[in-house]
Amino acid sequence: MKLPEGGPACDAVPMRRRDVLNGKHMWVYIEDLPRQVGQEVTLRGWLYNKRSSGKIHFLLVRDGTGLCQCVASKADVGDGAFAAADHMGQETSLEVTGIVREDKRAPGGFELTVKSIKQVAPSTDYPITPKEHGVAFLLDQRHLWVRSSRQHAILRIRSEVAQACRDFFSERGFVLFDAPILTPTSCEGTTNLFELEYFEGRKAYLTQSGQLYAEAGALAFGKVYCFGPTFRAEKSKTRRHLTEFWMVEPEAAYFNLDDDMALAEDFVSYIVRRVLERRAPELKALERDVSKLGPSCATPYPRITYDEAIERLKAAGAAINWGDDFGGDEETILSSQFDRPVMVHRYPSACKAFYMKQDPARPDVALCVDMLAPEGHGEIIGGGQREDDYETLRGKILAHDLPLAPFEWYLDLRRYGSVPHAGFGMGIERLTGWLCGIHHIRECIPFPRMMERLEP
Amino acid sequence: MKLPEGGPACDAVPMRRRDVLNGKHMWVYIEDLPRQVGQEVTLRGWLYNKRSSGKIHFLLVRDGTGLCQCVASKADVGDGAFAAADHMGQETSLEVTGIVREDKRAPGGFELTVKSIKQVAPSTDYPITPKEHGVAFLLDQRHLWVRSSRQHAILRIRSEVAQACRDFFSERGFVLFDAPILTPTSCEGTTNLFELEYFEGRKAYLTQSGQLYAEAGALAFGKVYCFGPTFRAEKSKTRRHLTEFWMVEPEAAYFNLDDDMALAEDFVSYIVRRVLERRAPELKALERDVSKLGPSCATPYPRITYDEAIERLKAAGAAINWGDDFGGDEETILSSQFDRPVMVHRYPSACKAFYMKQDPARPDVALCVDMLAPEGHGEIIGGGQREDDYETLRGKILAHDLPLAPFEWYLDLRRYGSVPHAGFGMGIERLTGWLCGIHHIRECIPFPRMMERLEP
């Protein structure tokens, strides 16, 4: 079938500029100013900052895509408009029309010589001022705080990370296979689960991971990923915990642990490279030392066994024994020994979930992997090869004191044409936190949810 | 900074083929067979169907990326392997090695002349057979049902739709601004809300829409979108309702209703074109009459006012009066009058939510739009321009008997630099249903959740 003309082609140059405004000026976004030098354009945005020197206002305008200094002289804009601009508070919405000039000293490299200013709506006593505010206050004002340049940079990087995740899997033929949020039972017990009433008194739980469902998808589509919000009702107040966070979880049939690690390092290095390439201004705004991220663009990443990790930890003076799981301190010691993420594989089976496959060569360890980000950011990925033998998996469910009935469908995946398969999960707020060099991941999601925070 | 070599470039040719298998044969996905004609390759998949003619087995193998007929003669594979294949049930997992041949008569256009067959794991009495099954049974077996060719096609189209949505907005500079799932209050009353216990006895609710949060995002970033699961605890059992479904919601500052409609038609036409271009085999598998979709690739889409819609309905004999909202029957009558989606704008304000802006020229109607898909598929988009005046919005919240306190942050968006803004929401299962020509949207999501269905 020949498709009709007239629609936007899939590969069309993205429209970023709006059409003529009132038949006179072009409305442009600040990020498009480099293509408008010498033209008369209109910006539509908000007043971010302002200084004046007698007969000139320097209005720093933001429009969500960037900042632009707008230079307004009393002579050009007229006495009335000039005086009105005098009284505009921070975050006043306004339209500014003028000529685009290149100026290397200006923020962003371009400025506007203003011809006219029109206030859209006022803003008086904007609560977030350039002075320091406490975090609790800022979180209360999260709907406004996201306008600040630092939050702006973090969330634009988060957006890039999310799109990079999807592009990576889409380009590689992984099918998006969204797992349900409402689940009838818990994967691993009901601790840390949010429970709700479904219909007619039934209980439902918010998902902690889409993995089990993604496994069904992998056996149907070969390669799938799910990517959605996941929930932990943990009574935990660390800098690395949110009760609601987004996790991307690929799962592939006929993948073993080695394949899984190769996929994980390709994936993370792809994202790091893309953020460095496309979000340099945001990283700069965050004063991120990007030289620390450069090595993480290249693969392979170092791989060490849990056994070797224990030796390294002991050599570094940590009080740890074989069989112990790692906490934040151990992760920090290990990850500080490498210039890029390190993959620690083959943890003791006892540390890991029931669905992890034991190493046939050594049943006391699981065919699992954690990836630890450098600079003390700790675990960003957890995954591994899944138990694919029916009897073994059934035995493990029973050994973990879990009921069989809710796992019958999951056991079916081993009853009917079981195959080796593997996957992993990556929390995107943690990854964003590492890339941004942010200490607390509460800043890495638009509206963080924590134990004590459900608002706004 | 110069980035190191060695990682996967952002624009690298996607890896779709695995490396050498056991040092001998190449593992390839069926979708990559066209590039392997004459080569010896290994497929890894599942037995989809089988027929035999004495000394030849015709094994139809699926691997998630396609179907391939594998022709195994007793002479080539040996008596033992040939006899073993005789007993393989549907969905047996297996590796098949052989030479790729082009054959226009074969499903997919290629077949394998088999050299060896290796069973990975058995499958006996697979519950979904080629005979007809009831829908309730199939939904109980959803984890296996997704392997069927029809479900496969639908969910691959859903995956394409989701990625097309994200690419559309990403290419146009919209920032992904995920709205929270856990919310402290309801947008519009607690009917149809799932309620859960947060910490220390607090109540939380599952979001019905990310719109209010997206508005905060639009005023910070200019153009944003959120795209996540949304929830409706409706006691409704229609073919167009799920209790959990995915919705994409763009929101843009300085957009009015006309801008919003232009964005919506660009968006939908982009998705339709992309699915027609990239998912033709899946549409064919569904026996979808694609000539019905062609016109929807082209813009503009017809736009009619609610007033005109009422006249059209009356002319068609519907018992409806000005002021009534439309149900499925009215939508079907209207949408059947056009060959592509129709946008109905300016409904009575009384039909719409409190945050919809009234038309200044005519306050009894709202600056809102619904887009109705053709062929009786009904509403796929709802949106409009938001009330941006502080006093008017506050008055409407009170007039709707809603408490002010939970909306203070939302009112802040009008207190501090309010601007005209607009957006819309599109449910992707409904869109997928229309594109696939599927009657009930429960087939348009991997694991549907409905009133009576929370499993598997």
Side-chain angles (χ1 to χ4, degrees):
Chain A
M1 186 185 64
K2 192 172 172 318
L3 302 182
E5 303 293 321
C10 286
D11 55 352
V13 175
M15 178 272 310
R16 288 196 177 232
R17 195 176 67 203
R18 288 284 304 290
D19 289 330
V20 173
L21 184 76
N22 307 325
K24 287 197 300 191
H25 321 295
M26 193 78 88
W27 171 21
V28 298
Y29 286 111
I30 290 170
E31 65 182 354
D32 293 322
L33 287 182
R35 289 193 286 274
Q36 301 293 332
V37 175
Q39 300 294 310
E40 182 169 322
V41 304
T42 294
L43 301 181
R44 292 172 148 185
W46 295 264
L47 186 61
Y48 196 66
N49 212 336
K50 184 181 68 181
R51 61 191 172 85
S52 293
S53 69
K55 294 184 175 171
I56 301 182
H57 288 315
F58 298 90
L59 309 175
L60 193 59
V61 172
R62 67 165 194 90
D63 73 350
T65 73
L67 287 169
C68 178
Q69 178 165 277
C70 300
V71 184
S73 72
K74 192 183 280 190
D76 286 343
V77 302
D79 289 358
F82 192 84
D86 238 353
H87 300 288
M88 286 179 181
Q90 189 188 346
E91 286 299 317
T92 297
S93 50
L94 74 179
E95 295 182 8
V96 186
T97 299
I99 309 290
V100 182
R101 313 266 183 218
E102 193 159 4
D103 186 336
K104 299 233 176 294
R105 298 160 306 171
F110 298 87
E111 65 173 34
L112 210 67
T113 304
V114 178
K115 287 189 156 184
S116 68
I117 304 172
K118 183 185 145 199
Q119 175 176 302
V120 175
S123 171
T124 310
D125 300 330
Y126 186 69
I128 303 176
T129 58
K131 71 165 187 173
E132 286 279 320
H133 295 281
V135 166
F137 172 81
L138 290 169
L139 285 169
D140 287 340
Q141 307 291 331
R142 186 64 177 169
H143 54 294
L144 303 175
W145 191 23
V146 292
R147 302 181 185 187
S148 304
S149 60
R150 176 182 157 87
Q151 298 308 311
H152 217 265
I154 297 168
L155 292 176
R156 285 176 77 95
I157 288 170
R158 182 186 187 277
S159 174
E160 190 70 45
V161 166
Q163 187 66 21
C165 291
R166 295 189 182 268
D167 288 348
F168 178 89
F169 290 119
S170 176
E171 289 163 5
R172 282 156 187 76
F174 284 68
V175 173
L176 174 69
F177 189 80
D178 287 309
I181 308 300
L182 296 171
T183 57
T185 184
S186 71
C187 288
E188 300 156 55
T190 56
T191 341
N192 300 337
L193 275 187
F194 287 112
E195 178 184 295
L196 58 95
E197 192 174 309
Y198 202 59
F199 290 97
E200 289 158 15
R202 281 206 67 177
K203 296 290 177 204
Y205 304 91
L206 298 187
T207 186
Q208 290 186 301
S209 158
Q211 179 204 313
L212 305 197
Y213 293 97
E215 289 183 53
L219 272 55
F221 294 90
K223 300 164 286 185
V224 299
Y225 75 104
C226 60
F227 190 173
T230 52
F231 302 86
R232 304 277 161 94
E234 271 180 276
K235 291 194 174 171
S236 174
K237 289 190 183 183
T238 86
R239 65 184 183 85
R240 294 168 50 73
H241 284 90
L242 297 170
T243 55
E244 174 182 327
F245 61 99
W246 283 67
M247 187 150 68
V248 54
E249 295 173 274
E251 191 77 27
Y254 288 105
F255 267 41
N256 61 24
L257 178 62
D258 284 340
D259 300 324
D260 203 37
M261 290 197 279
L263 183 70
E265 69 187 1
D266 276 358
F267 178 57
V268 173
S269 60
Y270 173 98
I271 298 169
V272 177
R273 180 176 292 263
R274 175 139 149 189
V275 168
L276 286 172
E277 286 176 353
R278 301 196 188 175
R279 292 295 161 208
E282 286 79 6
L283 291 167
K284 195 177 171 201
L286 294 168
E287 299 176 342
R288 179 65 165 125
D289 179 356
V290 291
S291 73
K292 292 267 177 40
L293 294 174
S296 301
C297 293
T299 54
Y301 286 176
R303 301 175 186 194
I304 61 174
T305 61
Y306 171 88
D307 294 357
E308 185 183 341
I310 289 287
E311 277 170 37
R312 285 172 176 262
L313 289 168
K314 282 183 172 167
I320 194 156
N321 293 305
W322 199 99
D324 295 343
D325 205 353
F326 299 157
D329 292 346
E330 289 78 20
E331 290 180 2
T332 300
I333 294 170
L334 289 172
S335 67
S336 69
Q337 300 181 352
F338 302 92
D339 68 348
R340 68 198 69 188
V342 55
M343 292 191 277
V344 184
H345 57 94
R346 292 181 168 76
Y347 285 69
S349 296
C351 296
K352 294 291 173 181
F354 72 90
Y355 46 70
M356 287 293 188
K357 189 172 177 68
Q358 291 171 343
D359 189 344
R362 213 185 124 189
D364 61 335
V365 298
L367 294 173
C368 65
V369 59
D370 282 0
M371 187 189 286
L372 313 179
E375 301 171 75
H377 283 275
E379 187 197 329
I380 47 173
I381 276 181
Q385 195 174 332
R386 320 307 184 183
E387 182 53 65
D388 55 333
D389 179 70
Y390 175 81
E391 289 298 342
T392 309
L393 183 62
R394 187 173 184 281
K396 283 188 162 190
I397 291 171
L398 295 173
H400 277 73
D401 275 333
L402 294 168
L404 272 180
F407 291 102
E408 285 298 338
W409 71 266
Y410 186 63
L411 284 163
D412 273 356
L413 306 179
R414 283 76 180 168
R415 267 190 198 101
Y416 304 111
S418 188
V419 301
H421 60 287
F424 60 82
M426 186 186 79
I428 75 153
E429 286 77 21
R430 285 193 179 180
L431 190 82
T432 302
W434 164 45
L435 296 179
C436 293
I438 296 289
H439 184 69
H440 200 303
I441 62 167
R442 66 189 162 208
E443 295 181 52
C444 298
I445 191 167
F447 291 90
R449 295 297 183 240
M450 294 169 286
M451 240 188 96
E452 73 292 2
R453 168 136 331 255
L454 184 59
E455 283 158 327
Chain B
M1 185 185 63
K2 192 173 174 317
L3 302 183
E5 303 293 323
C10 286
D11 54 354
V13 175
M15 176 275 306
R16 288 195 177 233
R17 195 174 68 203
R18 289 283 304 290
D19 289 330
V20 172
L21 185 75
N22 307 324
K24 288 195 300 191
H25 321 295
M26 192 80 86
W27 171 21
V28 298
Y29 286 110
I30 290 170
E31 65 183 355
D32 293 322
L33 288 182
R35 291 193 285 275
Q36 303 292 333
V37 175
Q39 300 295 310
E40 182 170 324
V41 303
T42 295
L43 302 181
R44 293 174 147 183
W46 295 264
L47 186 60
Y48 195 67
N49 213 334
K50 185 181 67 181
R51 61 191 172 85
S52 292
S53 68
K55 295 186 175 172
I56 299 182
H57 288 315
F58 297 91
L59 309 175
L60 194 58
V61 172
R62 67 165 194 90
D63 73 351
T65 74
L67 287 169
C68 178
Q69 178 164 277
C70 301
V71 183
S73 72
K74 192 182 282 192
D76 285 345
V77 300
D79 289 357
F82 192 85
D86 239 353
H87 301 287
M88 286 180 182
Q90 189 187 346
E91 287 300 317
T92 297
S93 50
L94 74 178
E95 295 183 8
V96 186
T97 299
I99 309 289
V100 183
R101 313 264 182 219
E102 193 159 4
D103 185 337
K104 298 230 177 298
R105 297 161 307 171
F110 298 87
E111 65 172 35
L112 209 67
T113 304
V114 177
K115 288 190 155 184
S116 68
I117 304 172
K118 183 184 145 199
Q119 175 174 302
V120 176
S123 171
T124 310
D125 299 331
Y126 185 68
I128 303 176
T129 56
K131 71 165 188 174
E132 286 279 319
H133 295 281
V135 167
F137 172 80
L138 290 169
L139 285 169
D140 286 341
Q141 307 291 330
R142 185 65 177 169
H143 54 293
L144 303 175
W145 191 23
V146 292
R147 302 181 184 186
S148 305
S149 61
R150 177 183 157 87
Q151 299 306 311
H152 217 264
I154 297 169
L155 292 175
R156 285 177 77 95
I157 288 170
R158 181 186 187 276
S159 174
E160 189 70 45
V161 166
Q163 187 66 20
C165 290
R166 295 189 182 269
D167 289 347
F168 178 89
F169 290 119
S170 176
E171 289 164 5
R172 282 156 186 77
F174 284 68
V175 173
L176 174 68
F177 189 80
D178 287 310
I181 307 301
L182 297 170
T183 58
T185 183
S186 71
C187 289
E188 301 156 54
T190 55
T191 342
N192 300 338
L193 275 186
F194 286 113
E195 179 183 294
L196 58 96
E197 194 175 307
Y198 202 60
F199 291 97
E200 288 158 15
R202 280 206 66 178
K203 296 291 177 204
Y205 303 91
L206 299 187
T207 187
Q208 289 186 301
S209 158
Q211 179 203 314
L212 306 197
Y213 293 97
E215 290 183 52
L219 272 54
F221 294 90
K223 300 164 288 185
V224 299
Y225 75 104
C226 59
F227 190 173
T230 53
F231 303 86
R232 304 276 162 93
E234 272 180 276
K235 291 196 173 170
S236 174
K237 289 191 182 181
T238 86
R239 65 184 183 86
R240 294 169 48 73
H241 284 90
L242 297 170
T243 55
E244 175 182 328
F245 62 99
W246 284 67
M247 186 151 68
V248 53
E249 296 174 273
E251 190 78 27
Y254 289 105
F255 267 43
N256 60 27
L257 177 62
D258 283 341
D259 300 324
D260 203 35
M261 290 197 279
L263 183 70
E265 69 187 2
D266 277 358
F267 178 58
V268 173
S269 60
Y270 173 99
I271 298 168
V272 177
R273 179 176 293 263
R274 176 139 148 190
V275 169
L276 285 171
E277 285 176 354
R278 301 196 188 175
R279 291 293 162 211
E282 286 79 6
L283 291 167
K284 194 176 170 202
L286 294 168
E287 300 177 341
R288 179 66 166 122
D289 179 356
V290 290
S291 72
K292 292 269 176 37
L293 293 174
S296 302
C297 293
T299 55
Y301 287 175
R303 301 177 187 193
I304 61 174
T305 61
Y306 171 88
D307 293 358
E308 186 183 340
I310 289 287
E311 278 170 36
R312 284 172 177 263
L313 289 168
K314 283 183 171 166
I320 194 157
N321 293 305
W322 199 98
D324 295 344
D325 206 352
F326 298 158
D329 292 345
E330 287 79 20
E331 289 180 4
T332 299
I333 294 171
L334 288 172
S335 68
S336 69
Q337 299 181 353
F338 302 92
D339 68 348
R340 67 199 70 190
V342 54
M343 292 192 276
V344 183
H345 57 94
R346 291 182 168 79
Y347 284 69
S349 297
C351 296
K352 293 292 172 180
F354 73 90
Y355 46 71
M356 288 290 189
K357 191 173 176 66
Q358 292 171 341
D359 189 343
R362 214 185 123 188
D364 60 334
V365 297
L367 294 173
C368 65
V369 61
D370 282 359
M371 186 189 285
L372 313 179
E375 302 172 74
H377 283 274
E379 187 196 330
I380 49 173
I381 277 182
Q385 196 174 330
R386 320 306 185 184
E387 182 52 67
D388 56 334
D389 179 70
Y390 174 81
E391 289 299 342
T392 309
L393 182 62
R394 188 173 183 279
K396 283 186 161 188
I397 291 171
L398 294 173
H400 278 73
D401 276 333
L402 294 167
L404 273 179
F407 290 103
E408 284 299 338
W409 72 266
Y410 186 63
L411 285 163
D412 273 356
L413 306 179
R414 282 75 180 168
R415 268 190 197 101
Y416 305 110
S418 187
V419 301
H421 60 287
F424 61 80
M426 187 186 80
I428 76 152
E429 287 77 21
R430 285 192 180 182
L431 191 81
T432 303
W434 164 45
L435 296 180
C436 293
I438 296 289
H439 185 69
H440 199 305
I441 63 168
R442 67 190 162 208
E443 294 181 52
C444 298
I445 191 166
F447 292 90
R449 295 298 183 241
M450 293 169 287
M451 240 187 96
E452 73 291 1
R453 163 115 1 233
L454 183 60
E455 279 156 331

